[in-house]
Structure formats: structure tokens, C-alpha cells
Amino acid sequence: MPKGIPNPAAMYGIYPRSWGFEVSLVRNGIRHHKLFGKASYGSVEQALLHAQDWRDFIVRSVPPVERRVRAQKPRANNTTGVPGVFHQIAAGGKVRGWMAKTYIAQDEILRADFPVDGLGDAAHTLAVMERARQLKHMTGLARLHPAEEAIRMGLSAHAHGPRSPKRSKSEITRRNNTSGVSGVHFKTPHAAHLGYWLAITYTAGKGSVSKAFSVKEHGPDMAKSLAIAERAKQLAEKLRGEESSSAAASQQPQPPHVKKRGRSASGAKQDN
């Protein structure tokens, strides 16, 4: 969108790409970033829904900084060392006063002036104290985008329809695939060979399982259909194996917890 015009609420923090969508939000100097490819979710619509869901999760779980905290962060153009405190310079370059100024709302700006004449060095101290008092009137979170508050309140800006699960890499149809089905490929050993359709499925740690169906034996259409059916069978067996391994792992007895004497490390880092 043009500078100064916020993105539509549904696309806040979401950037369309040729392959899908990129989500990028910055919170307190930390960038939260994730990619959602249309191939991984089956369609552009599903990829966008998943991107919006994740964007909403980040907005709700990692809110922006409080306005009061942000107002105390020094800016690049600050020359006094204290945010919200400004000096007033006379014609000769001499400081003639100090000012404390805080933007509370569109129609509410707090300001107080402290002239050096009559107050001396105390003018600066009083301006700093006044700035701290003004900040107590500032509440709420930094407003980054009109959609932020609505998302945190649970007012979704996008569809509530069903979400298709993310596909595994073995289910994604690659660009060089000629069958339209992932894991099913047409092979020709040499120019004189009629070729064959191959169904192949890879499982991490176990290698690949494959089966070929000759065009000469089955005909082109039947060979392709048999390969597609074989691919579905391979994927089903792979899924059963993964579920079986997961169930076996969950049933294994956990090692006994040994309590050690001494002071515990309360600051131990957890891997979430």
C-alpha cells in the first residue's frame, strides 16, 4: 500500500508472494516471520487462511509495547538526553528555558515551560520531573495498525471456514511432475523404450519404497492408474508406520526423576 495508508485488516502483516504468503511482524525489536506456500496447503485460499491464523496468534500472544514505555525511548533527533524534555534557545545560543511535553491523545497534549531566569539550574530538573508526571497520564499499548485491537479482541477479519492440514513434502506436487500426482513419475530408460510409470515414497530414516508399471505390459493409461493407486497405498503405509512409532514412543516409560540436593537453577532455559 502507499506510504501512510495502512494495509487492509485482513492482510495486516501478510505479504503476497508468487509461491504463497509471507507473514512478518516486529515486536520489541524481534521479528516474527513464517512462510505459507500454496503448494503446502493445497491452494492459495488455504495458504492465506493459515497465514492469517498465525498472524492473529502472534498479535494476541505478543502485544506491542506500552505507550508509556515507548515514549521513554530516546529518539535520534533528541539533543537533551531525556525524551520529552526540550531546551529553548535564545538568539545568542544560550538556553533560556526547558520544556516538558507529552502527547497523550489527538486532542490532549501536556506541556509545561520552566524559564532559566528565576529558576536557574533547577529549570532542567523541574522539566524532567514534570515529564515523569505527564507520563503517568499515558495508558494503553502502542497503536501499530487499526486491525491490531480488533484481532486481540477476537474480532476476526477473515473467514472461519475449515482449514486443510499442511501437506508433508511427499504430498507436494513438484513443478517437474508430469502426472499431476506427487510421487508418481513417468520414466523412459532410453529412446526406444516405451517407458513406465513409477510410484515412489521416501520415509526419513528408512529410505524409499518404489514400484514400476510398464506401459508395454499395461498400456499407458492403465500403467499410470496403477502407479497412482500404488502411491496411495505407499502413503497409507507410511502414515500407519509414523502413527505406530509415535504411539510406541509415548508408551515408553520415562526415566525416574532424581532430585538432587542443593540450590536449583531457577534461570534454566526452556526449549519451547
Side-chain angles (χ1 to χ4, degrees):
M1 296 295 290
K3 186 176 180 180
I5 300 177
N7 291 333
M11 297 302 294
Y12 169 56
I14 300 176
Y15 305 91
R17 302 292 185 238
S18 60
W19 41 261
F21 299 93
E22 177 182 359
V23 181
S24 179
L25 294 170
V26 177
R27 288 291 182 274
N28 304 326
I30 299 176
R31 183 170 177 252
H32 301 269
H33 176 258
K34 195 170 183 180
L35 307 179
F36 297 85
K38 56 187 177 183
S40 297
Y41 293 95
S43 67
V44 174
E45 293 76 15
Q46 282 294 321
L48 178 57
L49 288 175
H50 281 274
Q52 290 168 330
D53 288 344
W54 191 77
R55 184 271 318 273
D56 290 0
F57 168 75
I58 296 299
V59 168
R60 292 175 187 140
S61 59
V62 191
V65 69
E66 294 181 357
R67 293 182 63 224
R68 185 182 302 174
V69 173
R70 188 178 67 172
Q72 297 179 68
K73 183 179 180 180
R75 297 188 178 184
N77 60 350
N78 183 281
T79 57
T80 66
V82 181
V85 174
F86 309 90
H87 47 48
Q88 300 166 329
I89 308 298
K94 182 179 179 181
V95 176
R96 61 181 179 84
W98 292 89
M99 175 183 67
K101 185 178 180 181
T102 303
Y103 177 90
I104 302 298
Q106 186 173 2
D107 55 350
E108 184 180 3
I109 299 177
L110 302 180
R111 170 175 172 166
D113 296 285
F114 301 89
V116 171
D117 291 346
L119 293 174
D121 294 338
H124 177 264
T125 303
L126 291 172
V128 173
M129 293 174 60
E130 171 61 19
R131 166 65 172 177
R133 186 192 70 79
Q134 293 174 358
L135 285 173
K136 294 179 180 179
H137 295 273
M138 184 178 289
T139 60
L141 301 175
R143 192 168 184 266
L144 303 180
H145 189 279
E148 284 258 354
E149 187 174 356
I151 292 172
R152 285 195 294 271
M153 293 174 62
L155 303 177
S156 178
H158 53 279
H160 293 280
R163 306 304 196 250
S164 61
K166 184 178 181 180
R167 297 176 175 182
S168 65
K169 291 184 178 179
S170 61
E171 295 176 286
I172 298 176
T173 304
R174 306 299 176 183
R175 291 182 179 178
N176 61 350
N177 184 286
T178 58
S179 68
V181 179
S182 65
V184 176
H185 309 274
F186 182 71
K187 302 289 185 178
T188 50
H190 51 79
H193 199 286
L194 294 178
Y196 58 88
W197 284 96
L198 178 71
I200 183 169
T201 300
Y202 175 79
T203 301
K206 296 183 179 180
S208 60
V209 176
S210 64
K211 189 172 182 180
F213 298 89
S214 169
V215 170
K216 181 178 180 180
E217 179 182 353
H218 301 286
D221 294 336
M222 180 56 69
K224 180 178 179 181
S225 297
L226 290 171
I228 292 174
E230 171 63 20
R231 167 64 170 171
K233 178 183 175 182
Q234 292 173 4
L235 284 176
E237 291 177 352
K238 176 181 178 179
L239 180 60
R240 282 195 295 269
E242 292 175 346
E243 291 176 346
S244 177
S245 299
S246 178
S250 64
Q251 292 175 2
Q252 288 183 355
Q254 298 296 320
H257 176 70
V258 179
K259 185 176 182 180
K260 296 181 180 180
R261 294 182 179 180
R263 187 174 59 183
S264 62
S266 59
K269 183 178 179 181
Q270 295 182 347
D271 183 8
N272 294 324

